[in-house]
Amino acid sequence: NKIKDINIAMLTLHGENGRLRSMPMITIQTECEGNIWFFTNLDSDKVEEIKHNPHVNLSYSDQAQEIYVSVSGLASMEEDREKIKELW
């Protein structure tokens, strides 16, 4: 897993005006079945934007090791308290 030691990802999503918008996110965990976990406030703008259009891109970069990874996929919100306890 090339991204397991890269903590910060740039999350790109479709803003409310349809324009692409990127923001840094701290990666909490990556799983081999393809899930990448982040924490955010449920009342944040990004949550509403993802509900409107779940297509996102994550970009990871480690210049020192020359690792550059781009991951596209679908985002979803989870309010699983057990998973939050496990990861927090």
Side-chain angles (χ1 to χ4, degrees):
N1 183 335
K2 289 185 176 186
I3 63 173
K4 70 177 180 159
D5 295 322
I6 304 174
N7 295 328
I8 304 293
M10 290 301 291
L11 169 65
T12 302
L13 45 77
H14 296 270
E16 63 182 48
N17 59 6
R19 293 184 181 158
L20 295 176
R21 185 167 88 91
S22 297
M23 74 242 18
M25 298 289 290
I26 297 174
T27 303
I28 302 300
Q29 181 185 39
T30 61
E31 296 177 353
C32 43
E33 65 264 4
N35 295 322
I36 301 173
W37 293 88
F38 302 95
F39 287 138
T40 192
N41 291 325
L42 289 176
D43 62 352
S44 70
D45 289 342
K46 69 178 110 4
V47 170
E48 288 305 313
E49 292 165 350
I50 288 170
K51 285 179 183 177
H52 186 262
N53 187 338
H55 294 271
V56 299
N57 181 267
L58 297 170
S59 299
Y60 290 88
S61 173
D62 182 337
Q63 288 180 316
Q65 295 188 43
E66 296 184 0
I67 297 172
Y68 305 95
V69 177
S70 177
V71 179
S72 296
L74 297 173
S76 64
M77 298 326 129
E78 298 286 332
E79 292 185 66
D80 182 337
R81 295 291 172 195
E82 290 303 313
K83 188 69 172 180
I84 292 169
K85 283 182 186 178
E86 173 191 337
L87 297 176
W88 193 258

